[in-house]
């Protein structure tokens, strides 16, 4: 069994667990998650356009901002600032 197959199974299992967690949230938690994600994406775009920091828009950065929201966008800005 190749590592691509194992990696695909792991990613699939994580996706199923995430969907289960997402559907188990109540409406209040889901709305809070959506607002936090939208605010993080807005902050990410503002940081990319209005500051001298060049934060690339790639799948990894989008996942960090999507999962963490505003703290994720701030984390990416700090990482870009120091690296």
């Amino acid at each position: 069994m190749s590592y691509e197959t194992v990696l695909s199974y792991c990613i699939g299992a994580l996706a199923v667990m995430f969907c289960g967690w997402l559907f188990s949230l109540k409406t209040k938690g889901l709305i809070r998650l959506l607002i936090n994600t939208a605010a993080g994406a807005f902050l990410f775009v503002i940081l990319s356009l209005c500051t001298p920091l060049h934060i690339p828009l790639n799948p990894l950065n989008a996942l960090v901002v999507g999962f963490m929201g505003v703290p994720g966008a701030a984390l990416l800005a700090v990482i870009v600032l120091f690296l």
Side-chain angles (χ1 to χ4, degrees), residues 3-45:
Y3 72 93
E4 290 98 2
T5 306
V6 173
L7 185 63
S8 296
Y9 282 123
C10 290
I11 291 173
L14 288 174
V16 167
M17 288 189 310
F18 177 71
C19 287
W21 172 78
L22 188 63
F23 289 125
S24 71
L25 288 177
K26 296 185 178 175
T27 306
K28 183 179 177 184
L30 187 59
I31 291 172
R32 182 175 170 216
L33 180 68
L34 290 174
I35 290 172
N36 191 20
T37 301
F42 180 72
L43 181 63
F44 182 73
V45 169

Side-chain angles (χ1 to χ4, degrees), residues 46-82:
I46 294 298
L47 284 173
S48 295
L49 295 176
C50 299
T51 63
L53 297 175
H54 176 67
I55 304 173
L57 180 59
N58 57 31
L60 179 64
N61 290 348
L63 280 173
V64 168
V65 172
F67 282 128
M68 296 178 67
V70 175
L75 174 70
L76 288 174
V78 168
I79 289 172
V80 168
L81 185 65
F82 288 114

